[in-house]
Amino acid sequence: ATMVDSDGLLKWRPHNLLISSEDVTGTGWTQQIGVTSTATGSPFGSYQSASPTSTSSTEAQSYQINKPLTSGATYVAWSLAKYSAGNGWFSISLYDTGSANNRGWFDLQNGVVGSKDTNIIDHGMIDYGDGWWFCYVSKAAASTSGGINLGVTTADGATDGNSGDVILIAGSQFNRSDLGGMVNNPDTSSSYV
């Protein structure tokens, strides 16, 4: 649903297309990655440690797909993440059954935005302090079905995983972002739902 924000512009109401967005082992998530139990100490309170289960040529990822999309609409996927060990590279993909090349990479160890695939409109990092980074990607949907993939990768542009790489993940969101974006959640005064 939409609403008129305090600036007088029509925007999307607070929403999150992910289920169990604070828990990458919870309902809706599929794993190709090892995730430890929840601990406390992130800007959102809790976090989980994610690492590839082995050194492999296949990407180590956690994902939620088959979400209903509106073709041509712009979506944003983000995750709050922190470097723990290894290479320090993290990726977010806006999975879309209508297109490939939907990923952005982030160097969490050095706080540097990496490369992005051709279909990504924008990607970036915002410093949340204490090594935590708000990493995001945006793209226009090319189909009516898609989702989000979170990856722990070995390098910029890579999709393979290494068992020595460890990233901390504190929460993720997948939302529609055209119409001027999304209104902040009135219960928390933030954009996270």
Side-chain angles (χ1 to χ4, degrees):
T2 59
M3 64 177 286
V4 176
D5 198 3
S6 59
D7 59 10
L9 299 176
L10 184 68
K11 298 181 183 179
W12 292 103
R13 287 186 184 272
H15 66 284
N16 188 350
L17 299 175
L18 299 180
I19 302 169
S20 303
S21 60
E22 78 291 353
D23 177 5
V24 295
T25 63
T27 302
W29 291 96
T30 299
Q31 304 295 327
Q32 292 179 334
I33 197 168
V35 180
T36 64
S37 59
T38 302
T40 58
S42 81
F44 290 168
S46 63
Y47 67 88
Q48 293 171 299
S49 177
S51 179
T53 55
S54 66
T55 300
S56 166
S57 60
T58 58
E59 181 190 10
Q61 63 183 353
S62 184
Y63 57 89
Q64 285 194 35
I65 58 175
N66 300 320
K67 304 295 178 184
L69 306 179
T70 299
S71 184
T74 304
Y75 291 83
V76 168
W78 63 259
S79 191
L80 191 64
K82 180 177 180 177
Y83 168 79
S84 182
N87 291 302
W89 283 94
F90 179 64
S91 70
I92 302 175
S93 172
L94 278 169
Y95 172 78
D96 188 335
T97 58
S99 68
N101 302 318
N102 304 316
R103 186 181 313 275
W105 285 266
F106 310 92
D107 179 355
L108 298 179
Q109 183 176 11
N110 299 301
V112 176
V113 177
S115 62
K116 67 179 180 70
D117 283 336
T118 55
N119 288 326
I120 295 296
I121 297 169
D122 190 20
H123 74 312
M125 301 171 73
I126 299 170
D127 189 349
Y128 259 59
D130 192 31
W132 288 98
W133 294 94
F134 177 98
C135 303
Y136 65 90
V137 297
S138 65
K139 81 175 280 285
S143 70
T144 58
S145 179
I148 179 176
N149 291 12
L150 306 178
V152 179
T153 64
T154 57
D156 189 13
T159 58
D160 62 320
N162 186 309
S163 58
D165 296 335
V166 182
I167 300 297
L168 309 180
I169 300 174
S172 302
Q173 187 159 304
F174 178 46
N175 59 266
R176 195 154 168 183
S177 65
D178 44 4
L179 293 182
M182 184 176 67
V183 176
N184 281 341
N185 185 350
D187 295 332
T188 62
S189 298
S190 72
S191 62
Y192 179 59
V193 179

